[in-house]
Amino acid sequence: MAVLHSVHEHDLPYARRERVNRWGLWLFLISESFMFAGLLAARFYLWGGTRPPLDQTLGLLLTSILLVSSFFMNRAEVAIAHDDRPEFLRSAMLTVVLGTAFLVGVVGWEWGLFLPDGPHLRPTDGAFGAVVYGLTGFHAFHVLTGVLAILAVWHLGRRGHFSARQHWGVEAVAVYWHFVDLVWVFFYPALYLIGQVVAAGH
Amino acid sequence: MRHVLTTGLVRGLVGQAVGFALGVYTARAWGATDWRADGPLAWAAVLSVLGFMLASGMVSDWLGWLAGNFAPPRHGAPPGKPRWWRYWSVDYDHKVIGIQYGVTALVLVGLAGSVALIFRSELSKPGIDFLEPAVFNTLIGWHGIVMIAGILTGVAAMANYLVPLMVGARDMAFPRLNAFAYWINVPGVVLVVLALFLRWETGWTGYPPLGVQTMPGAIPFYLGVFVIGFSSILGAVNILATAFGMRAQGMTLFRMPIFVWSMVATSIIALTATQLIGLSFVLVVLERVFGMTFFSPTLTESAQALGSPPGQPLLFQHLFWFYSHPAVYVFILPGLGIISELLPVFARKPLFGYKWVAMASLAIALVGFLVWGHHMFTSGMSDIMRVTMMWTTLLVAVPTGVKFFNWLGTMWGGKLTFPTPMLFVLGALSIFLIGGLSGPPNGTVSTDLFLHDTYWIVGHFHATMFGGFVYPYIAAIYYWYPKVTGRMYNETLGKIHFWLMTPAFWTMSLGQMLAGLWGMRRRIVDYDPALGVAGLQTAVTIAAHVIFLSMLIFAFNLVWSAFRGKVAAANPWRSRSPEFQVPSPVPDENYPAPVVVVSEPYEYGGPEPYVVFAHGPAAADD
Ligand code: HEM
Ligand SMILES: [Cu+2]
């Protein structure tokens, strides 16, 4: 929640406030990375050198979407650092769109909510199902919070908040977004690439 | 009455009830028949926590940001309310939050202690007298987890009250986050109380597969603990940011009060390891609600057809102990910090080997991450892991020993005085010593095969927790009581408290260890009279009651003295610490002017003070 710390909070001067906020944000991310590392450990503990057959096209597509979104988030941050508000709003909104596309991809296709006969891998399908749904679920939840946070700074930006000098809120959301992105860079190979596919129908 | 209804606590609890009811109602509407089924219960529990958050006011400021309202956090007493009101509501002052944590801790410890007396009485002789096994199992688990919650809130109490004062700051780095971290505990505890009524049988560790199969109380148990853990994490963020970002001018890292060092080490653990107990508990809930078999070693037909591997119970134990071993250092490092903080004051001598004490805290914290497997020696874990974890475990004894010798060195040749806080510090040393010495036999594979899951272990960890947390916490309460309330506690009652509690504790802990050596198993409602432990069990039960009685005297002393105690001086202990250089109770704004550190913290007998107040422009580093 250190994400949105305000401009005037507390009695500290802005520069010092910003430094303290940075401590808070990065500490929180260190904390979160332990949770994601725990999920990765669960994946390797349970699957070892195997993996289920997942849709490779979808995996690659989702990964690309997320990477591209990080690019636009960065553009948004640079834009506000140059007081370019229209560009900031445009890029932030694009990031939201891409993040939402990622979520729809995971929930709609990987989890099969949009597929007529459901997914071919269900959450109840042993360690394969548990780990796929567990890892994508925890990650998707973070993507969702990231999208909401970007929407919040976009909304504030539209109302004239943030400037080249004072835009800690944007910085925080951007760092968080890159972090969530980085987590996927580990999850994608762990779920889709590493290990031998176990052929169905034993 | 009008004011009672507007407190954050009352509003939050109403919100929680509404959230829960909404969850049950929607689950019914979606076709659930029994609200105690895992899905509806988990859903209602989550909504209940959200309900508390919204209604209590703990997130109001953040929601205000969305509307562009960036007013600074409100400080000082709220206008138009009686004095007590802010202590029952969302308040951003670290001193208020510290007191909220401290009282919560005492309440939780009292509740968990009462429950202990119930099952202790059942155990005082063989045979099942008045507790059904399922109730007994629920009670021991509840006792354990509520004590842990009590310890975590007690640690947070000391950290919140003391760290900002000791680093010379006006408040914590993030006052709103601080209030959030405190208040989120309340709905968490409410869930854990719900678990008591719905019952679950795993004990505090929640091991699956039993955790997946046991009664519905498991759901609020896991989720409640998750929420309390979330509080720990946010608290750790705040403490680290405060220690690193808010120190007064001239306070280099090695001029920080030693308690701040111990909180840094503690917070590193709480920040990182807590995620893994949170994760493991959520995964069990997912397994119960959605049938995601992370831990149960069973496979459905369709999973078999896919060729999926099964879940693994041991995975849970790894995730769980990766937190829960380091967690014991979360419990004790602050307490050891209190010991290091108080000894120089009562010996009128500098802390012996300040840097070593500080570094030993960090070393304990870091090595503590590598020893979790010593709880799994009998689990079927590989031999390589067993031997590795044995060696790393024994390694922890080194920095712990360093601390002990530094304490002895501090007292050596000092002018010792023995008011109640000092008695509790010395009591802590004596108890922590037996607790610590009973550890290495558990950490050695060959002996642990016999000791595991016996009452020896129960004796071991009660001694470490009492020596490492309970006694120092009591010492801290007596010591800072005049600072917090502006009045002195009653010294006679304090001494009675100590002299009742300490022999009783020794009897209890050594009795438990001995019963374990004679073959008494843990977590069991009945035992074979042929073991010959009935006499020991009776003695332990009586001792437990005496400890409880002494704690009642303590509670009475705290409440009574707050109204009738002698008015306290600013610095009753002649301490050099910054918080003792201002009036008692500490004024709202803490310090009259920016704090500047001019010498070492523990130079008792030295010519210079530790801090001065700069009546000039703001601190230079801005
Ligand atoms: C010299 C230091 C210590 C060593 C070598 C040590 C070792 C151990 C070992 C090996 C066990 C597992 C025994 C078993 O279940 O068979 C154990 C259990 C335990 N220890 Fe320690 N310990 C030490 C200090 C502490 C401290 C300082 C605390 C906390 C305040 C603590 C709290 C616990 C708890 C709570 C358990 C029981 C967990 C459970 O199974 O429910 N220990 N200890
Ligand atoms: Cu341990």
Side-chain angles (χ1 to χ4, degrees):
Chain A
M1 288 295 135
V3 176
L4 284 174
H5 267 291
S6 86
V7 188
H8 318 285
E9 169 161 314
H10 210 26
D11 318 316
L12 297 181
Y14 190 78
R16 180 138 184 222
R17 180 76 259 165
E18 209 175 37
R19 209 169 64 221
V20 173
N21 284 353
R22 253 178 224 132
W23 269 109
L25 177 66
W26 284 96
L27 287 167
F28 183 68
L29 296 184
I30 291 174
S31 174
E32 289 270 277
S33 61
F34 270 72
M35 191 227 11
F36 287 116
L39 283 166
L40 276 178
R43 182 262 173 244
F44 285 101
Y45 195 91
L46 293 176
W47 289 6
T50 64
R51 71 181 154 92
L54 294 175
D55 187 340
Q56 289 294 335
T57 327
L58 181 64
L60 195 60
L61 191 68
L62 289 176
T63 309
S64 325
I65 290 179
L66 212 53
L67 288 178
V68 173
S69 80
S70 240
F71 168 76
F72 282 104
M73 193 64 230
N74 182 259
R75 254 173 87 110
E77 191 189 344
V78 172
I80 199 68
H82 289 90
D83 268 333
D84 183 351
R85 191 172 302 276
E87 176 58 44
F88 160 68
L89 293 175
R90 221 174 12 249
S91 291
M93 195 30 98
L94 249 170
T95 316
V96 168
V97 170
L98 290 168
T100 312
F102 177 87
L103 283 176
V104 170
V106 169
V107 176
W109 275 272
E110 201 58 90
W111 295 7
L113 293 192
F114 296 170
L115 299 180
D117 23 287
H120 68 279
L121 181 70
R122 277 172 310 217
T124 47
D125 285 340
F128 276 165
V131 166
V132 167
Y133 281 80
L135 266 65
T136 54
F138 271 88
H139 183 260
F141 178 74
H142 283 78
V143 173
L144 179 66
T145 55
V147 166
L148 293 176
I150 301 173
L151 274 176
V153 290
W154 174 82
H155 164 77
L156 286 172
R158 231 166 44 124
R159 297 182 41 169
H161 290 279
F162 307 123
S163 63
R165 246 169 40 78
Q166 304 202 341
H167 56 271
W168 160 251
V170 180
E171 176 187 330
V173 170
V175 171
Y176 181 71
W177 188 257
H178 298 319
F179 170 77
V180 173
D181 213 4
L182 181 68
V183 168
W184 186 255
V185 171
F186 286 91
F187 275 20
Y188 170 61
L191 292 175
Y192 288 83
L193 304 179
I194 297 174
Q196 287 289 316
V197 177
V198 175
H202 273 287
Chain B
M1 192 58 200
R2 189 167 51 89
H3 289 305
V4 172
L5 293 181
T6 59
T7 54
L9 179 64
V10 171
R11 286 184 1 219
L13 289 176
V14 171
Q16 181 162 22
V18 170
F20 196 88
L22 190 70
V24 171
Y25 177 80
T26 45
R28 283 251 169 80
W30 292 328
T33 46
D34 185 359
W35 65 273
R36 279 164 306 185
D38 291 333
L41 192 52
W43 166 242
V46 170
L47 285 193
S48 82
V49 174
L50 290 176
F52 187 99
M53 282 164 53
L54 289 175
S56 63
M58 62 200 262
V59 291
S60 306
D61 274 20
W62 286 330
L63 295 178
W65 288 359
L66 294 179
N69 176 10
F70 290 112
R74 180 180 47 69
H75 264 104
K81 301 285 184 193
R83 248 168 56 89
W84 52 264
W85 191 86
R86 65 190 302 202
Y87 294 93
W88 299 90
S89 302
V90 177
D91 194 282
Y92 299 133
D93 190 312
H94 74 98
K95 300 186 289 300
V96 173
I97 295 175
I99 293 169
Q100 289 171 331
Y101 267 121
V103 173
T104 309
L106 291 176
V107 169
L108 292 178
V109 166
L111 287 175
S114 324
V115 160
L117 295 189
I118 299 175
F119 64 73
R120 216 34 268 175
S121 304
E122 169 65 55
L123 285 169
S124 62
K125 59 184 172 45
I128 300 181
D129 297 316
F130 60 96
L131 283 183
E132 271 176 60
V135 177
F136 177 88
N137 290 347
T138 301
L139 291 185
I140 55 160
W142 203 80
H143 166 74
I145 204 68
V146 174
M147 278 297 181
I148 289 172
I151 294 177
L152 290 175
T153 42
V155 166
M158 299 189 283
N160 265 288
Y161 199 89
L162 296 176
V163 169
L165 283 172
M166 286 182 166
V167 301
R170 166 69 190 82
D171 209 314
M172 291 284 249
F174 309 113
R176 293 187 180 96
L177 188 69
N178 201 19
F180 182 92
Y182 168 72
W183 283 97
I184 195 74
N185 280 297
V186 179
V189 167
V190 170
L191 288 183
V192 174
V193 171
L194 181 63
L196 180 62
F197 292 102
L198 294 176
R199 297 188 196 173
W200 88 106
E201 292 201 272
T202 59
W204 78 277
T205 52
Y207 277 11
L210 182 58
V212 178
Q213 298 154 356
T214 187
M215 298 104 168
I219 293 277
F221 160 70
Y222 288 122
L223 292 177
V225 174
F226 177 85
V227 168
I228 294 167
F230 190 49
S231 158
S232 267
I233 293 172
L234 298 178
V237 168
N238 222 333
I239 290 161
L240 289 172
T242 307
F244 291 133
M246 308 281 287
R247 289 196 312 278
Q249 198 190 334
M251 189 181 289
T252 57
L253 283 180
F254 286 109
R255 278 184 167 187
M256 288 199 298
I258 202 74
F259 178 73
V260 180
W261 265 113
S262 71
M263 278 316 304
V264 166
T266 304
S267 302
I268 291 174
I269 301 172
L271 179 76
T272 54
T274 312
Q275 290 283 1
L276 288 132
I277 190 179
L279 177 66
S280 63
F281 277 21
V282 170
L283 294 186
V284 185
V285 171
L286 290 179
E287 177 154 349
R288 283 184 73 119
V289 173
F290 298 112
M292 293 159 69
T293 48
F294 290 100
F295 305 122
S296 293
T298 49
L299 282 178
T300 61
E301 256 172 49
S302 90
Q304 241 161 359
L306 273 169
S308 168
Q312 300 244 18
L314 273 196
L315 171 62
F316 178 89
Q317 298 189 21
H318 282 298
L319 294 175
F320 178 83
W321 288 112
F322 189 84
Y323 165 73
S324 295
H325 178 79
V328 305
Y329 300 119
V330 172
F331 307 157
I332 64 158
L333 284 174
L336 305 191
I338 295 289
I339 296 175
S340 307
E341 192 68 42
L342 265 51
L343 276 179
V345 178
F346 292 113
R348 310 309 303 161
K349 268 187 65 198
L351 178 63
F352 186 84
Y354 169 99
K355 274 193 188 171
W356 285 88
V357 178
M359 288 301 110
S361 295
L362 280 186
I364 291 176
L366 298 182
V367 181
F369 276 103
L370 306 174
V371 306
W372 76 90
H374 66 215
H375 295 274
M376 300 166 63
F377 285 153
T378 61
S379 70
M381 187 176 64
S382 74
D383 280 347
I384 296 187
M385 279 289 273
R386 295 212 290 191
V387 175
T388 318
M389 292 287 171
M390 171 169 94
W391 285 109
T392 49
T393 298
L394 297 177
L395 199 63
V396 183
V398 177
T400 316
V402 168
K403 276 187 185 280
F404 245 99
F405 286 113
N406 281 295
W407 292 329
L408 294 181
T410 305
M411 285 189 283
W412 194 267
K415 292 197 268 309
L416 300 185
T417 49
F418 301 98
T420 307
M422 180 62 165
L423 287 181
F424 275 94
V425 166
L426 296 177
L429 292 186
S430 74
I431 291 170
F432 193 64
L433 188 65
I434 47 168
L437 289 180
S438 61
N442 316 337
T444 310
V445 177
S446 46
T447 38
D448 185 59
L449 296 183
F450 297 92
L451 298 172
H452 179 64
D453 256 348
T454 68
Y455 251 73
W456 168 273
I457 304 297
V458 178
H460 158 71
F461 68 72
H462 280 86
T464 48
M465 302 234 192
F466 267 71
F469 172 78
V470 177
Y471 269 60
Y473 184 55
I474 293 172
I477 291 178
Y478 280 123
Y479 180 81
W480 276 283
Y481 189 83
K483 213 63 258 170
V484 175
T485 62
R487 288 176 188 272
M488 231 23 203
Y489 62 86
N490 182 302
E491 189 67 49
T492 316
L493 287 179
K495 295 231 159 90
I496 294 175
H497 174 196
F498 177 80
W499 288 113
L500 274 178
M501 187 162 172
T502 307
F505 184 80
W506 277 81
T507 311
M508 183 176 98
S509 202
L510 294 179
Q512 286 170 331
M513 288 185 199
L514 206 53
L517 290 182
W518 290 359
M520 176 72 205
R521 308 238 295 104
R522 279 173 87 171
R523 294 181 167 150
I524 187 142
V525 61
D526 192 9
Y527 49 93
D528 187 348
L531 287 176
V533 296
L536 282 175
Q537 290 283 19
T538 311
V540 170
T541 304
I542 295 171
H545 282 78
V546 174
I547 294 174
F548 195 81
L549 174 72
S550 76
M551 288 299 279
L552 289 180
I553 295 175
F554 177 47
F556 172 78
N557 194 353
L558 295 184
V559 175
W560 188 81
S561 306
F563 298 101
R564 296 290 163 79
K566 274 205 315 269
V567 172
N571 193 355
W573 313 115
R574 295 186 295 138
S575 162
R576 289 165 61 85
S577 202
E579 75 275 18
F580 280 101
Q581 317 312 320
V582 292
S584 305
V586 180
D588 245 340
E589 69 285 357
N590 290 358
Y591 296 110
V595 175
V596 180
V597 172
V598 292
S599 79
E600 305 296 322
Y602 301 104
E603 289 299 315
Y604 283 98
E608 278 177 309
Y610 173 40
V611 296
V612 296
F613 301 125
H615 293 276
D621 71 345
D622 287 334

